Amino acid sequence: MEQILATYTRIAGVDEVGRGPLVGAVVAAAVILDPARPIAGLKDSKKLSEKRREELAKEIREKALAWSLGRAERIEIDEINILKATMLAMQRAVNGLKVMPDFVLVDGNRVPLLTSPSLAVVKGDSLVQAISAASILAKVARDEEMHALHHKYPQYGFDEHKGYPTPKHLAALKAHGPILEHRRSFGPVREALSHHLKSV
């Protein structure tokens, strides 16, 4: 990887957020950082406070050579499965970049089908700044959607758990049943849907 970082100038970092939740889209981001405009404090988005993520996201959008968000919607996740939907979201993020990358580094152990040369980097969000930047943009974007969903359906607590299957979310799912944004192909949602259909 060091050779790649030394050889190529326009390296896109790619990461996604939202594989584990029971609700909403999976959101990916692709970022090409500008070496002339460094950004201090980039790290895995999970290791940053919400306030710091939002500050860094604003700086990334202002200073990056290019950035793009890609997503796969709930209905796509249910149709093609979460892994394929994640690859699709990443592909869309890279294809949305206004600057063509020389090389693409993707967080994890798989890469989507891309026209640029690419490499998967395990724990890339901690090792590669461009991937850290992508993880921050994706996390901020998806969290905003969960806050919006919370205002629409406050009884589910989306502002707290962001759609992940926490005890509170599972209890709300059991009590109120799934909403349209819940992923039907995920076990807890299927069970809740079945339970509520039987009780109607």
Side-chain angles (χ1 to χ4, degrees):
M1 192 178 65
E2 287 76 13
Q3 191 178 350
I4 291 165
L5 295 170
T7 305
Y8 297 94
T9 51
R10 292 194 306 273
I11 296 172
V14 180
D15 200 2
E16 54 71 30
V17 173
R19 281 181 67 168
L22 305 177
V23 69
V26 58
V27 179
V31 178
I32 302 175
L33 293 173
D34 185 350
R37 304 181 79 193
I39 299 168
L42 290 176
K43 60 171 80 170
D44 175 5
S45 63
K46 295 184 288 296
K47 295 174 181 170
L48 296 163
S49 68
E50 188 169 356
K51 182 175 184 290
R52 186 64 183 131
R53 279 196 301 267
E54 287 169 0
E55 290 168 354
L56 283 167
K58 185 172 184 287
E59 195 174 353
I60 292 160
R61 289 191 289 262
E62 287 170 358
K63 291 183 174 179
L65 280 178
W67 64 272
S68 169
L69 293 172
R71 51 194 292 122
E73 302 300 338
R74 188 278 300 170
I75 196 160
E76 292 176 301
I77 293 167
D78 287 341
E79 282 175 356
I80 63 175
N81 81 42
I82 186 61
L83 176 60
K84 288 178 184 171
T86 300
M87 293 297 111
L88 186 61
M90 288 179 167
Q91 199 177 47
R92 287 169 174 167
V94 174
N95 291 342
L97 287 168
K98 290 185 167 60
V99 175
M100 179 68 76
D102 300 323
F103 206 97
V104 180
L105 294 174
V106 181
D107 183 61
N109 56 10
R110 289 183 177 90
V111 293
L113 190 62
L114 300 169
T115 53
S116 304
S118 59
L119 180 72
V121 185
V122 175
K123 299 193 188 302
D125 47 9
S126 299
L127 299 170
V128 180
Q129 284 213 322
I131 298 178
S132 301
S135 82
I136 291 164
L137 289 191
K139 175 79 174 141
V140 168
R142 194 176 190 284
D143 282 0
E144 283 173 0
E145 292 179 19
M146 289 299 103
H147 281 293
L149 208 57
H150 171 70
H151 287 296
K152 203 173 173 184
Y153 306 102
Q155 68 271 33
Y156 289 88
F158 293 124
D159 61 328
E160 292 176 36
H161 54 67
K162 309 297 190 288
Y164 284 90
T166 63
K168 180 174 181 177
H169 188 186
L170 294 174
L173 194 55
K174 192 172 180 181
H176 308 293
I179 58 172
L180 186 64
E181 290 84 353
H182 272 110
R183 301 171 181 178
R184 277 23 182 194
S185 56
F186 281 46
V189 180
R190 252 196 333 266
E191 287 168 28
L193 191 62
S194 171
H195 171 76
H196 276 265
L197 286 172
K198 284 175 189 169
S199 62
V200 169

